[in-house]
Amino acid sequence: MVYGTNLRPTGLQFTIIDRTGGLGVFSTTNNYGYTVTEGDEVILQGKIDQFRGLTQITLDSMWKVSSGNTLNSPKNVTDLNESTESDLVKLTNLAIVD
């Protein structure tokens, strides 16, 4: 399932999350005719890689299967770490200290 927005206007960069975890999706300049929309189900083909420690798929091709699917509810967490990476989380009572 697609989560978030396209972070790369000249190509694609977004996150997909399924019941096993999350994965970054990346394409330098090709958007494959796809407009990133939360709740879309997509099929992806490409090379599994990593960028700065985050697992991503560098696309060769992609297909949109369906739209308007129900998103997961965010998990309430108190700490961000490897177990929450690429997951939809919610932090409450957060204070940012300079």
Side-chain angles (χ1 to χ4, degrees):
M1 200 76 54
V2 173
Y3 284 79
T5 61
N6 187 14
L7 302 173
R8 187 173 192 87
T10 60
L12 291 172
Q13 184 178 355
F14 61 94
T15 299
I16 57 169
I17 300 174
D18 68 8
R19 54 190 171 278
T20 65
L23 182 70
V25 178
F26 182 78
S27 174
T28 304
T29 58
N30 192 343
N31 69 6
Y32 298 91
Y34 177 64
T35 300
V36 176
T37 306
E38 279 194 316
D40 283 356
E41 180 182 359
V42 292
I43 296 174
L44 308 171
Q45 182 175 318
K47 178 183 174 191
I48 301 296
D49 207 346
Q50 68 87 25
F51 179 73
R52 294 185 180 169
L54 299 174
T55 304
Q56 70 180 20
I57 182 167
T58 302
L59 290 178
D60 290 331
S61 53
M62 70 174 296
W63 302 267
K64 182 168 82 170
V65 176
S66 63
S67 298
N69 298 288
T70 303
L71 298 172
N72 294 334
S73 297
K75 296 177 186 174
N76 286 312
V77 298
T78 57
D79 184 33
L80 298 176
N81 55 45
E82 292 292 322
S83 71
T84 60
E85 183 179 308
S86 287
D87 211 348
L88 185 62
V89 298
K90 179 179 181 179
L91 295 167
T92 56
N93 300 318
L94 178 69
I96 299 175
V97 178
D98 186 357

